[in-house]
Amino acid sequence: MFEKLFLLVKDNAGTAVINNPVIPAKYHEAVINEASSSIIEVLKGQLESGKVKELIKYFQFSGSYNNSLVSSITNRFANKLNTFYSIDPAHALTVAKALIPTVMNELVKETKSGEAKEFALGTMLTKLNGNRTDLNPLVNNLMVA
């Protein structure tokens, strides 16, 4: 799943990262990795803080652009760009806002389509919790509610 997420970010990184003069070519791969890890870290944090229901609602009824989940991921990614790649905060936020909402919309589409089994919501949440608990039954119950 994590590889697929990286590829999803990479496929959407054109304007925000690859064709962005603010980000040197030598950092493209690393920046894409930072975007992927920001998504994983925030989703994992939601699970660990017991916000499973909110996470399921996000994927079920996503009108994602103004969602606090997307804002959290965007801010985390922008902070990494500023901290690790010395991109000034304004440019870092611009890059993050250009990439993260798009990727999250694509992730929601992938989750709903059911084509990529790695992105099935129950499977994805189970992988995010380190395979400690199969969250498929919980997700199925909450999706019906």
Side-chain angles (χ1 to χ4, degrees), residues 10-102:
K10 190 173 186 174
D11 288 345
N12 289 281
T15 305
V17 178
I18 309 298
N19 301 326
N20 191 333
V22 173
I23 302 173
K26 66 182 179 178
Y27 294 137
H28 289 172
E29 198 87 2
V31 166
I32 292 167
N33 207 26
E34 295 292 359
S36 302
S37 69
S38 295
I39 293 168
I40 292 165
E41 290 162 8
V42 171
L43 294 179
K44 202 172 188 176
Q46 292 283 308
L47 273 178
E48 291 170 355
S49 63
K51 296 182 180 175
V52 178
K53 200 178 236 181
E54 290 85 353
L55 207 49
I56 292 169
K57 279 184 184 174
Y58 169 77
F59 282 95
Q60 195 173 14
F61 307 110
S62 181
S64 75
Y65 189 72
N66 292 322
N67 189 287
S68 63
L69 181 72
V70 174
S71 296
S72 295
I73 298 167
T74 301
N75 290 333
R76 180 173 296 235
F77 179 48
N79 287 335
K80 286 181 178 188
L81 291 175
N82 177 250
T83 304
F84 302 125
Y85 302 94
S86 301
I87 297 172
D88 73 85
H91 278 105
L93 192 56
T94 301
V95 170
K97 283 182 175 180
L99 182 60
I100 297 300
T102 304

Side-chain angles (χ1 to χ4, degrees), residues 113-130:
S113 80
E115 288 176 29
K117 297 205 184 317
E118 300 89 350
F119 288 138
L121 190 55
T123 302
M124 184 170 69
L125 296 180
T126 298
K127 289 201 187 288
L128 285 170
N129 86 12

